[in-house]
Amino acid sequence: MTKKIYVIHENSEWTAPLFQRFEELGLPYEDWHMAKGHIDLTEAPPQGIFYNRMSASSHTRGHRYAPEYTSAVLSWLESYDRKVFNDSRALQLEISKVNQYSALKAFDIPVPRTIAAYGKDELLHAATKFNGPFITKHNRAGKGLGVQLFQTQTALESYVHSASFDESIDGITLLQDYIEAPEPFIVRCEFIGGKFLYAVQVNTSDGFELCPADACQIGDQFCPITDQPEEPTPKFKILKDFVLPHQERYEAFIDANGITFAGIEIITDKSGNVYTYDVNTNTNYNRDAEAEAGIYGMKAIAEFLGREL
């Protein structure tokens, strides 16, 4: 039987550009969509290599338990010594920012001060430990879920007791120091094969729906913590000659946590301090930004997997 590249995921819009690259390179592949399925633990998996692209935001697309099922699939694959790119450990980080921050800190990579709270009363109590503005976000998120800015504890209390309170799918809400950048931008650093490929500047004027994929453009949706700019600017721009501070730490972090492909988001405050606040192991790329720069992430992934196959 021919060995294949098996792609584990739950969003066909995000895999279409990758499958196109496989076909251009003549690489055999198979689509493993995690919306449903079954595995016989007594039978060996097929021969080949396995690329896990499970997303923390799967529940927003009707796939509430896809990460849990993916965890079972990865355990099965790894028990038979199949090669998995973005393995079980990477999945643990994908679906928990608490896990991300703990792992990043182990490599001396600064993260914003964060408190994880379970329960509304605990959430409000945790807010008393912040002296300045702070944000909330979901522990299991993606797509900027739950990101809101609060200037006071009273404002948070009003929100928590309102009908609009949006709870994280895992019940854990994060409170985090608000990192104010001098300009409304963050930088997303893309890693392929565990190595830094390029950095893309993301305009956050429209909020924190930061997925670079064309399918993720937010249109008229705006995050409540920012204002709309008077004139639209390109949301994504690849930064040529970008130097990632402490690049060796990020690559060591990636290597130690079973990650092969990732988009890591960083923000710089007004004093020049750099913080890492999100690790995406189902990274996507923006077509327009890549065409402008002449560099292509999905092509690089396909080429890497082709060599591994």
Side-chain angles (χ1 to χ4, degrees):
M1 183 178 292
T2 302
K3 292 183 178 180
K4 298 179 183 178
I5 302 167
Y6 295 85
V7 181
I8 298 167
H9 72 101
E10 56 76 42
N11 188 345
S12 297
E13 291 187 7
W14 289 349
T15 55
L18 177 62
F19 292 168
Q20 180 182 346
R21 294 297 185 178
F22 286 159
E23 290 166 7
E24 290 172 357
L25 296 170
L27 296 172
Y29 70 92
E30 189 167 316
D31 183 342
W32 278 17
H33 198 292
M34 296 286 106
K36 58 184 179 180
H38 71 275
I39 48 176
D40 186 338
L41 301 182
T42 64
E43 292 186 0
Q47 294 293 333
I49 60 176
F50 300 81
Y51 172 24
N52 165 38
R53 286 182 52 83
M54 180 46 54
S55 169
S57 62
S58 65
H59 58 283
T60 68
R61 291 176 291 278
H63 304 144
R64 166 62 184 86
Y65 295 107
E68 285 80 3
Y69 179 54
T70 297
S71 178
V73 170
L74 296 185
S75 294
W76 173 58
L77 294 173
E78 290 164 6
S79 74
Y80 282 91
D81 294 322
R82 295 298 187 263
K83 182 62 178 177
V84 178
F85 298 96
N86 288 0
D87 64 16
S88 292
R89 173 57 180 165
L91 179 61
Q92 290 177 348
L93 269 62
E94 170 67 20
I95 63 175
S96 171
K97 286 185 169 55
V98 169
N99 288 347
Q100 292 178 21
Y101 297 155
S102 298
L104 287 163
K105 288 170 66 177
F107 287 86
D108 294 322
I109 298 173
V111 300
R113 175 175 174 253
T114 304
I115 298 176
Y118 171 49
K120 289 185 176 181
D121 289 342
E122 294 298 324
L123 178 60
L124 295 174
H125 176 69
T128 65
K129 300 184 179 182
F130 289 85
N131 295 322
F134 58 89
I135 64 172
T136 59
K137 61 175 61 174
H138 293 177
N139 180 54
R140 179 163 163 177
K143 300 181 15 174
L145 293 174
V147 177
Q148 295 203 50
L149 172 65
F150 296 93
Q151 300 289 345
T152 66
Q153 296 155 27
T154 302
L156 175 66
E157 185 172 4
S158 297
Y159 167 64
V160 168
H161 291 309
S162 73
S164 62
F165 177 62
D166 183 20
E167 188 173 31
S168 175
I169 196 68
D170 66 358
I172 300 173
T173 299
L174 306 183
L175 295 97
Q176 195 170 85
D177 277 336
Y178 174 51
I179 308 299
E180 187 174 3
E183 296 182 88
F185 299 106
I186 62 95
V187 173
R188 182 179 172 114
C189 303
E190 302 293 352
F191 294 81
I192 292 180
K195 302 299 181 182
F196 176 63
L197 179 67
Y198 69 70
V200 57
Q201 179 179 273
V202 185
N203 187 324
T204 59
S205 297
D206 290 351
F208 283 84
E209 163 82 82
L210 303 181
C211 172
D214 300 309
C216 295
Q217 301 306 298
I218 65 173
D220 293 329
Q221 288 181 290
F222 300 112
C223 174
I225 75 169
T226 54
D227 297 320
Q228 181 181 0
E230 292 182 3
E231 296 183 3
T233 57
K235 189 173 180 67
F236 302 97
K237 177 183 178 182
I238 291 176
L239 301 173
K240 296 181 179 180
D241 304 318
F242 178 82
V243 177
L244 175 60
H246 307 299
Q247 179 177 327
E248 71 285 353
R249 296 185 192 176
Y250 288 96
E251 292 179 352
F253 156 77
I254 285 172
D255 181 64
N257 286 282
I259 301 170
T260 310
F261 310 105
I264 299 180
E265 292 170 7
I266 64 177
I267 187 169
T268 303
D269 69 14
K270 291 183 176 181
S271 299
N273 301 305
V274 178
Y275 297 90
T276 299
Y277 67 89
D278 199 14
V279 178
N280 302 275
T281 63
N282 65 318
T283 190
N284 291 294
Y285 309 99
N286 183 262
R287 178 177 52 193
D288 293 340
E290 289 197 331
E292 179 73 20
I295 187 169
Y296 303 94
M298 286 301 187
K299 180 181 179 182
I301 287 180
E303 290 171 345
F304 176 90
L305 293 173
R307 290 191 296 269
E308 291 293 327
L309 185 65

